[in-house]
Amino acid sequence: MKAPAPNSLISRVIARLTTFPRKHLITVGALCSVLIVTLALNPSKDSETKRHSQSIKLTLSNPEIQELLPDATVPMTPDLVPSVDWHVEKVRSGDNLSLIFQRAGLSDRDLFEFMGGHPDTKILKRIHPGHELEFHIEDDRLLGLRYRSNRLKSELFTREGSKFEHETETLQPDIHTAYREAEIKSSLFIAGQKVKMDANLIMELANIFGWDIDFGLDIRKGDHFKVLYEERFLNGEKIGNGNILAAEFTNQKETFKAVRYEDSKGDAHYYTPDGKSMRKAFLRAPLDFRRISSNFNPRRLHPITKTVRPHRGTDYAASRGTPVWSAGDGRVIRSGYTKPNGNYVVIQHGNNVQTKYLHLHKRKVKTGDRVKQRQVIGTVGSTGYSTAPHLHYEFLLDGVHRNPRTVLDKLPKARSIASSEMPRFLQNTQPLLTTLENHHQQILVAKAGHE
Ligand SMILES: [Zn+2]
């Protein structure tokens, strides 16, 4: 950090200037061009100059700017452009604004003055552990406060006399695409982690195919996937993943492809390459597959009758309390308790499909309720004839238990892209599918080169 400001007025102006992106500075006009040069010379402020401000209040009529630049022909050296010392305080658990102000060397009176200095200061009531407050203090006086709730957005309050001005600063991350592919040897998660995918990305991939594949029970050794997705960078540092753009999943030799498309109304969904929505009337598994334990033997002897009962459903072993979702939109026709079923829920979907959920720990819906797909209707338990927490799930078509995957043609059709939108769909999605395949080919070539 540079030496403290010789003059707090200058530093206040600079504090605001350094938060503007270069393109906005340029529009301020030639008078400020010398400042732009000096800012560019100061690489430590580079990140700040990229900041995208939503409310630009800087104008040439601003008397402070005119004071600062009485004569534009005199070039300013970097020494004349002092940087502001921002004192950073991280919000800790159990913190409050009074404690944070104290740590920054300010009093409750300063806090009171600040909170009264602009109506938007009430945003600071939303502070959470991990958020950051940056203080610009000079001569024991609070001149600026920046509240940063995440890497991309911050709220800046700048003193104007006894009041404060407020502006929201938003950073635009750089987006790059990344590609991963893997073959599953034991589990989707381990395969994903081996190729350095984080848990959210793996989960998102599973969600895209969650209407076609039961990730709790259908996954087999040799299944494989490809995924093209966005990575977000800030100043060259990765700050997280963006959307999955295209993906392919081969499950038990059947291959599913999905591509992300934002339609002309701005709604983004996943579609098959020929424009059918990946969303279907029924989820394949009515609970989060990550909570399903695979070493569950549904053919074990029934604990009460000591026989292998004819089994007309799917058993998902999961810990007690795991949320159970409705597999599709529908109406609860029974939410009750019987000795064999324990707490159970039956949902009617349209005319011909029913789903049943047995042995629940808690029921979260009542008979007669309307439910949406993926709405929590209860939690996994072990009530009724059950020896360990699990969900017994049944899917009945016209009263007969069926595997929803094999009766897809009898179920409501997934929505498709309107024919009028089809050219736009293809134009936007085909390059993504091509990129997905090109990445795969490159990896094949690279592998061949190693052998
Ligand atoms: Zn069962």
Side-chain angles (χ1 to χ4, degrees), residues 296 298 300 309 311-315 358-359 390-393:
F296 187 72
R300 77 203 182 291
R309 288 199 306 169
H311 202 263
R312 309 196 323 142
T314 310
D315 285 317
L358 273 51
H359 312 306
H390 78 287
L391 171 70
H392 172 106
Y393 172 64

